[in-house]
Amino acid sequence: KRTSKGMPPKGKKKAAESEKQQIDDGFQQLDISAKDPRTVVLMLDSPEITVVCQACQALHKHAEKSEQNILQLRDIEAIPRLVKLLSSPDRVTRSYAVLCVAEMSKHASIRRVLQRTQCVAPLLAMLAPDVELVCQERASFTLAELSGEYSFKVELNKHSAHQPLVQLLKSSDPDVQRNSVKALCLMMELYQCRPPLKDAGGIPVVLDLLVSEYPVIQEAALSTLHWCMNDASCRVAMREEGGLKKLVQFLDNKEFADLHVLATGVLALSLEDSEQMDALQGGACLAQLISAITEGTVPEMKRNAAETLSKAARDDTNRKILHEHNIEKMFIQMLSSDDVGVSVAGAGGLQAMTRLHSSKQSISAQDGVQ
């Protein structure tokens, strides 16, 4: 028998040839150099993660360049595709997609387009503790932008956005804190959103932001509290969490003078309930507040604070409490202010206090009549 030394058996030779043919018939790698954004948008539909991520990167850079580019991406239907990618099972794809959505959400017309998508749920999912910090920051930024729209306030409330946003207020990253408190502040404009913030334990966490080293965070925190104090249950939480004391300490800090006017507005609303004055009296808070008003240098703050205490003095019990702290002295000093508004507020305070006989005697004894 003749044999073919060194040659593979016929069966194995055919299998090798078949495998080589399959490799040759397969799709070869294609490096695309796309110059038209419409092509790149179509790449978002690719099943290949690398292609999708590269497309997201390119679109993000394109959107950063100008408002015109953002509107162009809107017109070629990039937004629905990007929102769909926010729910991608691939972590990297979600990261790149939220970068694009966040950049474009700055534009009002994009926010209107986002209203027609299901973007809230996947964005809230990116606020979870186990999500990368950059995704938390971009997702919270997007939610802060969207929260200015009424329909999104309703949607966020429906999806219980308070809890994840409150948790992010404790983040070590100031950008995440700023975005989260801004989103909550805008949500609080809708009265239905206020009690859920209290239920999520948000009042004490927002109060903690008053000592932030970033004024923009302090301002957003005060604005959030200002809206919340229109709700009775939030005022109760404010009292129980020692919020009045923290407000007074804030007013007593001259470094925060630029925000004292806003803080007095929060204080005024906090004192709507008679029980709040009892809480203010405890722990020397009222004495500290009177000192802060007396030594304050911002006329509007002094005027607002005096008007707040004057309003509180309409209540018999409160009037007696204020008299015990010699509030008449502060009101008398305000009469000689160079600012007319401060003088008027001081006179209004004295008028409220004169309903108490012992207060009349105090005013006379301190030359208040003169």
Side-chain angles (χ1 to χ4, degrees):
K1 253 184 181 181
R2 296 173 61 185
T3 60
S4 301
K5 276 191 175 183
M7 297 296 291
K10 288 184 179 180
K12 289 187 178 180
K13 182 177 179 181
K14 287 183 179 180
E17 289 176 351
S18 175
E19 183 178 349
K20 182 180 179 182
Q21 184 66 33
Q22 288 177 2
I23 294 174
D24 291 340
D25 290 345
F27 189 81
Q28 299 299 307
Q29 179 174 329
L30 176 64
D31 295 323
I32 299 176
S33 179
K35 295 183 179 181
D36 192 322
R38 289 174 296 184
T39 303
V40 181
V41 168
L42 292 175
M43 291 167 63
L44 295 175
D45 296 329
S46 171
E48 296 184 63
I49 293 175
T50 303
V51 173
V52 173
C53 291
Q54 288 177 347
C56 287
Q57 282 182 295
L59 293 175
H60 180 232
K61 291 178 181 178
H62 187 62
E64 281 184 313
K65 291 178 181 178
S66 69
E67 181 180 313
Q68 183 179 358
N69 287 354
I70 291 177
L71 296 177
Q72 181 189 33
L73 294 178
R74 175 202 64 187
D75 294 339
I76 58 179
E77 298 297 321
I79 307 301
R81 288 180 167 90
L82 288 168
V83 169
K84 183 179 178 180
L85 293 175
L86 294 176
S87 301
S88 169
D90 179 67
R91 175 184 61 80
V92 179
T93 300
R94 295 195 302 269
S95 300
Y96 281 117
V98 76
L99 287 176
C100 290
V101 174
E103 183 62 36
M104 289 190 278
S105 68
K106 301 174 185 177
H107 200 284
S109 68
I110 300 301
R111 294 195 290 272
R112 287 193 290 272
V113 174
L114 287 170
Q115 287 177 347
R116 300 193 293 270
T117 68
Q118 302 296 319
C119 66
V120 170
L123 285 171
L124 289 175
M126 290 188 182
L127 304 184
D130 58 343
V131 174
E132 295 85 348
L133 183 61
V134 64
C135 289
Q136 289 182 338
E137 194 280 323
R138 289 290 82 190
S140 60
F141 175 88
T142 306
L143 290 170
E145 291 292 320
L146 300 180
S147 297
E149 308 290 335
Y150 174 81
S151 60
F152 276 112
K153 297 183 205 292
V154 175
E155 192 72 10
L156 288 167
N157 192 45
K158 178 182 175 182
H159 281 81
S160 303
H162 301 77
Q163 191 66 52
L165 287 171
V166 166
Q167 291 305 310
L168 286 189
L169 295 181
K170 304 173 187 177
S171 172
S172 59
D173 186 273
D175 289 329
V176 172
Q177 283 188 332
R178 179 200 60 207
N179 296 339
S180 302
V181 72
K182 179 184 175 183
L184 286 169
C185 178
L186 291 171
M187 287 174 63
M188 293 307 106
E189 294 176 5
L190 192 65
Y191 74 92
Q192 299 99 317
C193 293
R194 296 165 193 167
L197 178 66
K198 181 262 299 179
D199 296 337
I203 300 297
V205 184
V206 174
L207 281 167
D208 288 341
L209 296 180
L210 295 182
V211 295
S212 171
E213 60 181 302
Y214 301 99
V216 65
I217 293 178
Q218 291 177 309
E219 182 176 5
L222 284 168
S223 296
T224 302
L225 292 171
H226 191 275
W227 285 110
C228 287
M229 290 306 99
N230 288 284
D231 178 80
S233 64
C234 289
R235 290 196 295 272
V236 172
M238 183 78 159
R239 183 177 70 247
E240 293 175 346
E241 298 295 338
L244 292 175
K245 182 178 180 180
K246 292 180 180 180
L247 271 178
V248 171
Q249 290 173 340
F250 186 88
L251 287 168
D252 202 28
N253 191 328
K254 292 182 174 59
E255 292 182 11
F256 305 149
D258 291 347
L259 295 172
H260 280 176
V261 173
L262 183 54
T264 53
V266 178
L267 181 65
L269 291 169
S270 301
L271 295 175
E272 287 290 324
D273 298 331
S274 58
E275 294 88 352
Q276 302 286 36
M277 183 59 73
D278 294 331
L280 188 62
Q281 184 185 18
C285 282
L286 184 54
Q288 189 177 9
L289 173 61
I290 293 172
S291 174
I293 299 170
T294 303
E295 298 175 10
T297 56
V298 182
E300 191 175 354
M301 183 277 280
K302 294 170 73 74
R303 183 172 65 249
N304 291 349
E307 289 173 351
T308 297
L309 293 178
S310 298
K311 185 177 180 180
R314 296 173 187 171
D315 178 81
D316 293 341
T317 303
N318 289 344
R319 196 181 307 123
K320 291 177 182 178
I321 293 173
L322 291 170
H323 173 63
E324 290 171 0
H325 286 78
N326 195 17
I327 193 71
E328 296 89 354
K329 181 180 178 180
M330 185 196 79
F331 287 140
I332 291 170
Q333 290 177 350
M334 293 175 70
L335 295 177
S336 57
S337 172
D338 294 334
D339 186 274
V340 177
V342 173
S343 299
V344 171
L350 290 173
Q351 181 187 22
M353 292 302 298
T354 52
R355 299 176 186 177
L356 186 67
H357 180 70
S358 55
S359 183
K360 292 179 183 179
Q361 293 176 327
S362 177
I363 294 170
S364 179
Q366 297 181 70
D367 297 328
V369 176
Q370 295 180 1

